[in-house]
Amino acid sequence: MRTLWEIFYVSLKLGCTSFGGPTAHLGYFQQEYVQKRKWLSAQDYSQLVILSQFLPGPASSQVGMGIGLLRGGLLGSVLSFLGFTLPSVLLLMVFAYFSMYTELKMDWIHGLKLVAVAIVAQAIFDMSKKLLSTKLHGLIAIMALIIVLLWVHPLAQITAILLAACIGFQRIKKSNESNAPLAIHMPISKSTGIALLSLFLILLFGLPIMSTLWNHEWVTMLEKFYLAGALVFGGGHVVLPLLEAQFVQSGQMSTADFLAGYGMTQAVPGPLFTFAAYIGMAIAGVPGAIIAILAIFLPAFLLVIGALPFWFSLSRNIRLKGAMSGANAAVVGILVAAFIHPIVTQTIQNGLDIVFVAVFLWCLMRWKMPPYLLVLLGIVVGIVCYT
């Protein structure tokens, strides 16, 4: 019980302080789960990140679900999801309720975006030290960086990881990898994984049929949000046009309300997929928000939890360790690419921003300031200097 409470508490703290989008979230996770608490190694964490790149849905949430599973079983995975998403869900439900009556000024959020830049920079530095152990690893990371920067497409990350895995399989020798057995204990069996993956497919094909046969508002919402979570690669920003087509073009909400809610989603911590809570609240109140948030995250849960028993089982195969090592190196390059664009390009606006990022990075790396204190400092900076 103490372990489960700890999982929920840590994920809730991250849900309250993780600003900056999925790449920034992975930085927060790496610092909290890998560096500070040592719940898993950098290599195992990187494998979770790789798996999330192959699956549709919110990458950072899937990584959090996976860590919760490894730490506390299926209930731990659920608690990790609840803790990380609950703060932004509640905030967006409140925003949806009051957005018709007031105009919110959120300029101070810029200070928190600068904090996210520093968090991601430190995460990249720490991961590169552990995962780029040879010149070949460095070249693979550069290759992945170039692919993702030059080919702006949801499949770019998957392609870079696959190429890196092929190079690692062919060129990275066993001697470059640790011979120690993995310390990961998988709390669910492969048969459970098959059951969850089967349920994912049943819902994917069954919900549209159910929606056609039973024309009810809640069933229709369940179908639309489940399909959005199941079919979208590339994270929260990519799901925007699909949700717009489902709810704006159908006339269920106006374009202005839709864009206002999406703008609010950028201003709160946690995963961007919690935008669903705003839409559900605006259309059908509290029940709609609950249905929307559960439906859009359910595919991610079924996929990542169902795939993990097979994923870590494959990673124990000696012949595949070189491939995994190459893929790990590609993850570093992908994180650098996401750090450059959109994090830096859309956050750093002038010299003052650079100064604050440097200060925040110094606080992290030299003073070892906890992320939640840095977030508070970012709020102060945002209020004083950007409003």
Side-chain angles (χ1 to χ4, degrees):
M1 182 61 69
R2 181 178 180 182
T3 298
L4 294 175
W5 166 249
E6 185 181 23
I7 291 171
F8 178 75
Y9 168 74
V10 174
S11 61
L12 180 65
K13 184 175 70 172
L14 288 168
C16 292
T17 57
S18 295
F19 291 85
T23 305
H25 300 164
L26 295 178
Y28 284 96
F29 286 1
Q30 196 269 347
Q31 185 177 71
E32 183 70 27
Y33 291 125
V34 179
Q35 284 187 278
K36 181 180 177 180
R37 299 185 180 272
K38 303 187 186 304
W39 285 2
L40 69 171
S41 69
Q43 288 75 19
D44 294 330
Y45 176 74
S46 182
Q47 288 188 29
L48 278 175
V49 174
I50 292 170
L51 177 60
S52 73
Q53 304 302 320
F54 282 100
L55 299 175
S60 58
S61 296
Q62 287 172 317
V63 171
M65 293 172 187
I67 294 174
L69 175 74
L70 298 176
R71 185 68 177 174
L74 283 174
L75 185 55
S77 181
V78 172
L79 290 175
S80 179
F81 157 72
L82 289 176
F84 187 57
T85 57
L86 190 59
S88 54
V89 166
L90 294 177
L91 286 172
L92 288 170
M93 289 173 66
V94 172
F95 282 147
Y97 183 79
F98 287 104
S99 61
M100 301 291 290
Y101 308 102
T102 183
E103 182 177 350
L104 299 171
K105 187 176 182 180
M106 305 299 291
D107 294 341
W108 58 273
I109 291 294
H110 189 69
L112 296 175
K113 294 181 179 179
L114 298 177
V115 170
V117 173
I119 291 284
V120 175
Q122 189 204 30
I124 291 172
F125 177 76
D126 291 333
M127 292 182 70
S128 64
K129 288 193 300 182
K130 295 179 175 68
L131 301 178
L132 305 184
S133 56
T134 68
K135 291 182 179 179
L136 180 57
H137 287 92
L139 290 174
I140 291 174
I142 293 173
M143 176 202 71
L145 169 66
I146 293 172
I147 290 175
V148 175
L149 283 180
L150 296 184
W151 185 28
V152 184
H153 192 279
L155 294 178
Q157 295 183 1
I158 296 176
T159 301
I161 290 174
L162 286 174
L163 288 175
C166 291
I167 295 172
F169 185 84
Q170 294 291 331
R171 301 295 302 274
I172 298 178
K173 298 179 180 180
K174 177 184 172 182
S175 59
N176 289 334
E177 299 296 318
S178 171
N179 291 323
L182 291 174
I184 287 293
H185 167 68
M186 184 56 57
I188 63 172
S189 65
K190 291 182 179 179
S191 59
T192 302
I194 292 175
L196 293 175
L197 294 175
S198 300
L199 179 58
F200 166 80
L201 293 174
I202 291 171
L203 292 173
L204 181 64
F205 295 104
L207 283 176
I209 298 174
M210 182 185 299
S211 179
T212 302
L213 297 176
W214 188 15
N215 187 20
H216 190 279
E217 181 182 45
W218 289 2
V219 176
T220 302
M221 288 183 62
L222 181 63
E223 175 215 356
K224 290 181 177 181
F225 282 111
Y226 185 88
L227 292 180
L231 301 177
V232 172
F233 289 86
H237 295 291
V238 182
V239 81
L240 178 66
L242 180 57
L243 292 178
E244 191 272 340
Q246 295 279 18
F247 295 101
V248 176
Q249 295 181 21
S250 65
Q252 290 182 271
M253 65 188 311
S254 68
T255 301
D257 289 340
F258 182 86
L259 294 178
Y262 192 69
M264 292 174 187
T265 307
Q266 311 301 310
V268 300
L272 292 174
F273 268 53
T274 53
F275 179 36
Y278 172 90
I279 297 176
M281 183 74 177
I283 293 175
V286 174
I290 294 174
I291 291 172
I293 210 68
L294 292 179
I296 202 169
F297 279 100
L298 181 58
F301 177 84
L302 295 175
L303 284 172
V304 73
I305 304 304
L308 270 176
F310 304 95
W311 187 254
F312 279 104
S313 178
L314 287 173
S315 70
R316 287 181 169 88
N317 189 315
I318 298 297
R319 296 180 60 187
L320 296 179
K321 282 190 174 182
M324 294 304 304
S325 181
N328 287 343
V331 167
V332 177
I334 290 170
L335 289 177
V336 173
F339 176 73
I340 295 172
H341 180 76
I343 291 179
V344 170
T345 57
Q346 295 186 10
T347 303
I348 303 297
Q349 301 175 356
N350 50 49
L352 182 62
D353 290 346
I354 297 175
V355 170
F356 280 128
V357 169
V359 171
F360 294 153
L361 195 57
W362 180 269
C363 291
L364 280 172
M365 301 187 71
R366 298 294 296 179
W367 291 354
K368 308 297 182 184
M369 179 178 288
Y372 71 91
L373 289 181
L374 199 65
V375 166
L376 294 177
L377 179 60
I379 292 175
V380 172
V381 168
I383 293 174
V384 173
C385 301
Y386 294 98
T387 57

